[in-house]
Amino acid sequence: MFYCVVGVMGGGGRLSAFFCRFGPAGRSAPVSVSDLKDAIAFIATYPPRRCGIATFTSDLVAAVRGRIEGRLRTVVMAVDDPAEALSYPQEVQYALNQHDNAEYVRAAEFLNYNNVRAVSVQHEFGIFGGRDGAYILDLLRELRCPIVTTFHTILQEPSESQRAVMAELVVLSSLLVVMSERAAGFMREVYDAPDRKIRLIHHGVPEVPLVETQSYKRQFEMAGREVILTFGLLNPGKGIEYALEALPPVVAEYPNLCYIILGATHPNIVKEHGESYRLGLQRLARNLGLQKNVLFNDRFVELAELCEFLKAADLYVTPYLNREQITSGTLAYALGAGKPIVSTRYWYAEELLAEGRGVLVDFKDSRRMGEALLSLLGNPAQVREMRANAYEFSRRMTWPEVGQRYLEAFREGISTARVRASMPDVSMRQMLPITGLPRPRLDHLRRLTDDTGLLQHARYSVPDRSHGYCTDDNTRALVVASKYHDLFHAAEAERLLGTYLAFVSYAQRGDGMFHNFVSYDRRFLDEIGSDDTYGRALWGLGYATYRGPAPYSNLAQEIFEKALFNLTALNLRGRAHAILGLYYYLQRYPEAEDIVAKIDRLASAQMQQYEEASGEDWPWFEGVVTYDNAVMPQSLFLGYEVTGKQQYREIAERSLDFILGICSCGDHLSLVGNDGWHVRGTEPASFDQQPIDASGLVEACKVAFRLTGRREYLRYMRMAFDWFLGVNDLAEPLYNFKTGGCSDGLTAQGASQNQGAESVLCYLLALLTLTEVFSEQDRTARGTAAGLGTGPTLRL
């Protein structure tokens, strides 16, 4: 559900504006701007999505709404995974596709036009798209209202990327909410957050009365039994197996005891591993003879029912395994219900259960956990004291209290913040605008793919089976599918990746080399592929090894390493693509010194060919500029990055600038055509221009900007991509918005009517590369301005 702003020109030239609110069925109803109340917006996962932050946010929204007076309203922006196809409740007015980088900027526009006075962000690295959730920064930079960020994970030893994300969140946020003293300390000591921004607001808990358990046990048929409870989404980090191993001596003393393990398995665990963890726990319980003493309740329960379970429990256990856990909603809820708690010594438990509010044991120490349970079960006086301590402390944590604290934080942010303009460096936006990009679509790629692989050609947009398949296209497709999956976590891309990888494996010969052409009936049409084929195979396999999901990355690595034995004398483009493949393999295995040596040897051969062919007025590798030109300078840039040899960078920069100079034509690029190419001493051919050259420039300019910091490379990146959209010599788009395909070339008569595999792959590779760069270049710009970095650090 979302709002859009509609403008209507009234009499006398007056522009009247109103909002349209769109619901799930697409129905709209106009809402006058004057009727819209000021709003507080919440950005987080939200029910029915099943995760702890979604539950937290739902409770927080209700708590704040319960404290609101006057015209203030709440707006929920749910961070959404479209693959789950969730139907959100009425209060969710915008579903934010977590994997779509451009969507984050559109979401910011929605908030800026929706009378939002403050934004509450629930932050956890894993719920937002991009590397370590970096896409959320694109949204926050665009906001013109104060931001209050709540941190659900604060790492003491973050990775470089995590530190960069956190550092910018500190800069962008008006207030930083943490849920424990230790978390506040980390914000100061690890992330240099100023004290004036940090606010400690406890994790909220429902208002549960302090009651005797027996009367509540009857509804679960547990009357007369000792009940121990653990609840929450099940995953291996919960350490339930150690709680089970603690039970036999406890059951020997209390044979009627029942340990209730309440909660469904975490959806992400089910997606990756099925119910193997739960099944393993059930098998362990049987092996320990606990069939009558352990109850697995595989359900995601609503709050009212959860409170009934808490009222019925005599003891609560959190046997978690992650010492660095800085907050826990389940622990907070148990404390709020006044439960005696036995827990492992993770950070949040150490703080929350101090001063007699619980018992702490070491990680994986089943013996000590069993002793603690026996001690509590046999000591009613200690239990009463612990319950009283827990309940008294948790009164500051009830949702009405927490809602009031958050509302005070929002008001403080609003009262102290100045109205701010968009955060990004304007010149960076001008160089590489983030808006106006089509959404990446796999429609045509899927159309050209069958159960064998990717067909080479199409007549119009219809697959042409008469020409069969080629390894060149299927290895390019490995890069596109891996990149798409990495950006959007799409199951569709993963399926395609498996198909292309199967084809490349089939095309590999026993000696590690590759056939290139395969007929529609799967017969090889050549004895061996060209150097270009071999180099592209290393490129695609190296990238899939680096960025592809398991187990596809494992198979890609095996095929890559088998092919590596044939890395001998190659032609110019074969060497260039081989360097790319070796480079990506090295990112996966940075300790592989033999790969560095191979890159150096190939880059040296590139340099030698350049020196033999180039001249003062012709800084190029051959006496003619033909096709797929930008991959040569790109490969030398990467050679420079790996070896540090300055001569590689100098040649890369000169040769890339030469190609850009040839192709520059005012406000657009005029690529070298294949109808005559560009022979030294002559004019370049104007047609037929090929998508592979536009795509290559996007990739090469990305690497060039990352290694040189020259911002004009960003402008050329966008110009090269816009060639696909019609910013070219004929002002005619090659990308077909209806089919999702791309014309095979730009001829003197216009765009080709055929939409084959190479062209759509080049279009998608260019678009996905731009999508990657947006958040990276913006974060770099802001980080440098804030003193957080010194130069470009774009993602590979």
Side-chain angles (χ1 to χ4, degrees):
M1 183 179 298
F2 59 94
Y3 288 92
C4 73
V5 183
V6 180
V8 179
M9 191 66 70
R14 182 173 55 86
L15 182 67
S16 299
F18 62 86
F19 284 79
C20 282
R21 182 181 185 212
F22 288 83
R27 294 185 296 272
S28 65
V31 181
S32 169
V33 171
S34 62
D35 290 338
L36 284 176
K37 300 177 183 178
D38 290 338
I40 296 171
F42 296 82
I43 304 175
T45 54
Y46 204 79
R49 196 165 183 180
R50 293 184 174 183
C51 74
I53 292 180
T55 302
F56 177 94
T57 307
S58 176
D59 291 339
L60 176 60
V61 170
V64 171
R65 190 182 294 131
R67 294 288 185 170
I68 284 176
E69 299 174 359
R71 293 175 55 81
L72 202 60
R73 62 194 172 92
T74 58
V75 172
V76 176
M77 181 172 284
V79 181
D80 180 57
D81 183 352
E84 297 181 11
L86 300 176
S87 179
Y88 289 100
Q90 181 76 10
E91 63 265 28
V92 174
Q93 297 178 352
Y94 196 108
L96 171 64
N97 182 345
Q98 70 183 85
H99 304 303
D100 187 343
N101 190 191
E103 179 70 21
Y104 285 76
V105 175
R106 290 190 286 270
E109 293 171 354
F110 164 81
L111 295 174
N112 285 335
Y113 283 107
N114 207 11
N115 287 22
V116 171
R117 297 291 306 280
V119 167
S120 170
V121 178
Q122 304 304 313
H123 181 264
E124 159 66 53
F125 292 110
I127 69 173
F128 301 109
R131 190 176 184 182
D132 293 315
Y135 287 175
I136 186 60
L137 301 177
D138 292 322
L139 190 161
L140 300 184
R141 293 188 199 103
E142 297 290 334
L143 293 179
R144 296 185 176 90
C145 63
I147 299 160
V148 177
T149 302
T150 301
F151 293 92
H152 292 257
T153 295
I154 304 176
L155 302 175
Q156 188 177 28
E157 298 180 358
S159 67
E160 183 179 346
S161 173
Q162 290 166 337
R163 185 183 295 275
V165 171
M166 289 288 288
E168 188 165 356
L169 284 170
V170 170
V171 171
L172 291 170
S173 302
S174 299
L175 294 176
L176 312 167
V177 176
V178 297
M179 303 187 205
S180 67
E181 294 288 357
R182 188 187 293 267
F186 285 171
M187 291 301 297
R188 287 188 292 266
E189 298 158 13
V190 180
Y191 301 102
D192 297 321
D195 270 326
R196 60 180 173 78
K197 285 192 174 187
I198 299 172
R199 299 293 181 272
L200 171 58
I201 303 178
H202 286 285
H203 192 297
V205 301
E207 291 188 289
V208 178
L210 189 62
V211 297
E212 294 302 323
T213 62
Q214 291 304 323
S215 59
Y216 292 92
K217 292 179 181 181
R218 296 190 186 94
Q219 60 186 312
F220 303 115
E221 299 182 353
M222 294 288 170
R225 304 183 69 177
E226 297 80 14
V227 175
I228 301 174
L229 177 66
T230 294
F231 80 87
L233 292 172
L234 207 60
N235 67 74
K238 296 291 188 182
I240 303 296
E241 59 270 33
Y242 298 100
L244 291 174
E245 290 172 351
L247 287 183
V250 183
V251 169
E253 290 284 333
Y254 298 92
N256 289 327
L257 178 145
C258 184
Y259 178 31
I260 300 176
I261 301 168
L262 175 64
T265 304
H266 196 291
N268 292 342
I269 299 297
V270 173
K271 189 183 303 182
E272 295 290 331
H273 306 288
E275 290 287 0
S276 58
Y277 181 59
R278 180 183 298 276
L279 292 172
L281 294 176
Q282 291 172 339
R283 184 170 57 252
L284 176 61
R286 288 194 299 271
N287 292 341
L288 293 172
L290 299 173
Q291 298 96 317
K292 297 180 179 179
N293 302 99
V294 177
L295 174 63
F296 289 90
N297 197 323
D298 182 8
R299 291 188 301 122
F300 187 88
V301 298
E302 298 298 330
L303 178 61
E305 187 176 4
L306 173 60
C307 290
E308 295 302 300
F309 274 100
L310 284 169
K311 293 173 187 175
D314 296 298
L315 304 178
Y316 191 81
V317 177
T318 62
Y320 302 165
L321 302 179
N322 179 18
R323 175 166 176 75
E324 289 76 27
Q325 186 162 342
I326 205 72
T327 188
S328 166
T330 63
L331 183 68
Y333 275 37
L335 191 82
K339 298 291 108 175
I341 299 170
V342 176
S343 175
T344 50
R345 298 180 184 277
Y346 55 93
W347 288 337
Y348 190 60
E350 285 183 330
E351 186 168 322
L352 211 61
L353 302 184
E355 300 177 356
R357 293 188 291 270
V359 178
L360 297 172
V361 300
D362 291 334
F363 296 99
K364 302 181 181 181
D365 191 343
S366 298
R367 182 186 63 81
R368 181 69 186 95
M369 188 176 295
E371 292 172 354
L373 294 172
L374 280 170
S375 175
L376 289 174
L377 289 170
N379 193 336
Q382 183 185 8
V383 166
R384 283 193 297 272
E385 182 180 359
M386 191 176 292
R387 292 185 67 194
N389 291 339
Y391 197 74
E392 179 183 1
F393 180 87
S394 64
R395 294 312 85 199
R396 70 196 73 178
M397 300 169 62
T398 60
W399 276 118
E401 294 298 318
V402 169
Q404 181 64 35
R405 292 290 311 280
Y406 269 94
L407 191 57
E408 291 169 0
F410 300 146
R411 287 171 174 159
E412 180 183 356
I414 293 168
S415 66
T416 58
R418 287 180 271 177
V419 176
R420 62 185 180 90
S422 292
M423 293 296 291
D425 183 305
V426 174
S427 62
M428 294 290 279
R429 284 285 194 232
Q430 291 173 342
M431 290 288 185
L432 188 60
I434 193 169
T435 54
L437 285 183
R439 289 178 181 270
R441 293 168 51 193
L442 299 180
D443 307 48
H444 193 58
L445 195 60
R446 188 172 58 247
R447 187 178 298 118
L448 294 176
T449 302
D450 61 17
D451 60 351
T452 297
L454 180 63
L455 290 157
Q456 288 189 75
H457 296 296
R459 298 177 65 183
Y460 300 95
S461 62
V462 179
D464 183 356
R465 297 184 173 96
S466 63
H467 293 280
Y469 317 84
C470 70
T471 299
D472 282 341
D473 288 338
N474 279 271
T475 51
R476 285 190 188 98
L478 290 180
V479 179
V480 169
S482 297
K483 196 180 287 281
Y484 193 99
H485 183 271
D486 188 43
L487 285 168
F488 302 112
H489 300 271
E492 179 182 31
E494 188 170 346
R495 287 192 296 271
L496 290 172
L497 179 60
T499 300
Y500 304 141
L501 200 54
F503 179 92
V504 175
S505 177
Y506 175 67
Q508 188 171 39
R509 299 172 6 139
D511 62 0
M513 294 297 286
F514 298 89
H515 297 280
N516 190 19
F517 298 110
V518 179
S519 68
Y520 185 65
D521 59 357
R522 299 183 180 178
R523 290 179 295 107
F524 296 119
L525 301 178
D526 56 11
E527 185 63 29
I528 192 171
S530 66
D531 285 0
D532 284 17
T533 298
Y534 175 76
R536 287 195 182 99
L538 289 184
W539 170 43
L541 292 164
Y543 194 90
T545 299
Y546 175 41
R547 286 293 183 200
Y552 304 107
S553 58
N554 301 331
L555 178 56
Q557 179 183 341
E558 289 182 14
I559 304 172
F560 179 93
E561 291 173 350
K562 182 179 178 181
L564 209 55
F565 289 106
N566 297 281
L567 187 64
T568 54
L570 298 171
N571 67 17
L572 180 64
R573 286 165 181 78
R575 286 194 300 266
H577 282 104
I579 289 173
L580 267 60
L582 291 164
Y583 175 85
Y584 290 123
Y585 183 90
L586 187 64
Q587 305 314 300
R588 175 77 182 270
Y589 299 106
E591 71 284 355
E593 295 182 5
D594 60 317
I595 299 296
V596 175
K598 288 179 171 64
I599 292 174
D600 190 21
R601 176 166 58 81
L602 293 173
S604 178
Q606 298 289 79
M607 184 178 71
Q608 182 179 346
Q609 183 162 343
Y610 173 88
E611 291 172 344
E612 292 172 355
S614 65
E616 189 68 30
D617 63 339
W618 190 259
W620 194 241
F621 301 85
E622 303 172 291
V624 58
V625 174
T626 57
Y627 70 98
D628 202 5
N629 299 301
V631 72
M632 275 78 80
Q634 180 186 358
S635 68
L636 280 180
F637 272 122
L638 297 179
Y640 157 70
E641 182 181 355
V642 169
T643 67
K645 292 186 176 181
Q646 191 67 29
Q647 59 266 39
Y648 295 160
R649 170 179 166 167
E650 291 170 359
I651 294 172
E653 206 163 346
R654 281 201 300 269
S655 57
L656 181 57
D657 290 350
F658 173 65
I659 288 295
L660 291 169
I662 290 173
C663 297
S664 293
C665 186
D667 63 349
H668 70 278
L669 295 184
S670 178
L671 305 176
V672 175
N674 68 6
D675 188 13
W677 304 120
H678 180 21
V679 179
R680 186 173 184 175
T682 68
E683 291 297 314
S686 297
F687 301 102
D688 298 340
Q689 298 176 30
Q690 303 296 303
I692 193 173
D693 288 303
S695 177
L697 284 173
V698 172
E699 286 217 285
C701 287
K702 174 188 176 182
V703 174
F705 170 70
R706 180 166 60 83
L707 295 177
T708 69
R710 289 173 52 189
R711 292 188 176 187
E712 59 265 36
Y713 287 131
L714 294 175
R715 180 168 58 86
Y716 281 121
M717 279 184 71
R718 186 63 199 243
M719 288 174 68
F721 178 75
D722 286 347
W723 179 88
F724 290 100
L725 303 183
V727 186
N728 52 47
D729 287 337
L730 300 183
E732 188 165 337
L734 284 85
Y735 177 62
N736 188 307
F737 282 84
K738 182 177 180 180
T739 67
C742 178
S743 296
D744 286 344
L746 187 67
T747 73
Q749 290 72 44
S752 167
Q753 296 298 300
N754 296 329
Q755 301 171 16
E758 179 181 298
S759 55
V760 72
L761 288 169
C762 289
Y763 165 78
L764 286 170
L765 183 58
L767 176 56
L768 295 172
T769 299
L770 277 180
T771 302
E772 283 180 328
V773 168
F774 281 145
S775 63
E776 298 296 325
Q777 60 99 354
D778 281 336
R779 186 161 75 250
T780 297
R782 285 301 308 152
T784 303
L788 306 175
T790 57
T793 55
L794 301 189
R795 186 176 182 175
L796 306 173

